[in-house]
């Protein structure tokens, strides 16, 4: 993790990412929480996911959807390269 967890929202974000990370890991990738600011979660894709043609879809259709369902106040998920 790049940044120190500051509050309960960030703890819930990290916990939720831990629950879904196996979907990415089965294809040789992973996701790292970077920060949470003004409703936007910033993540870094790793391994096979970094630079993958499906990275945007993984972020929007998997990570963002699940985080929005599990964590109140999530507006969007963006990738930091």
């Amino acid at each position: 993790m790049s940044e120190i967890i500051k509050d309960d929202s960030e703890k819930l974000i990290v916990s939720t990412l831990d629950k879904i990370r196996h979907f990415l890991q089965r294809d040789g990738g992973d996701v790292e929480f970077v920060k949470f600011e003004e409703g936007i979660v910033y993540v870094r894709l790793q391994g096979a996911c970094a630079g993958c043609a499906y990275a945007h879809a993984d972020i929007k259709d998997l990570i963002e959807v699940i985080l929005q369902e599990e964590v109140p106040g999530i507006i969007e998920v963006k990738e930091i390269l």
Side-chain angles (χ1 to χ4, degrees):
M1 231 170 314
S2 296
E3 193 170 289
I4 296 172
I5 305 296
K6 296 178 187 168
D7 60 28
D8 289 339
S9 292
E10 290 184 2
K11 288 178 187 173
L12 189 52
I13 290 166
V14 170
S15 172
T16 303
L17 288 174
D18 286 344
K19 290 182 200 174
I20 62 174
R21 120 177 316 114
H22 69 277
F23 291 110
L24 301 171
Q25 289 175 338
R26 72 178 176 202
D27 291 326
D30 206 345
V31 63
E32 173 190 10
F33 170 76
V34 177
K35 63 182 175 179
F36 178 55
E37 291 180 347
E38 299 177 15
I40 300 174
V41 176
Y42 295 89
V43 298
R44 182 173 293 115
L45 294 178
Q46 300 175 325
C49 290
C52 171
Y54 299 104
H56 182 75
D58 285 343
I59 288 174
K60 295 299 177 183
D61 298 337
L62 175 68
I63 297 169
E64 184 174 273
V65 169
I66 293 173
L67 282 175
Q68 287 175 333
E69 289 176 358
E70 299 285 327
V71 183
I74 301 283
I75 298 168
E76 185 177 11
V77 175
K78 292 185 176 182
E79 180 182 12
I80 291 181
L81 300 175

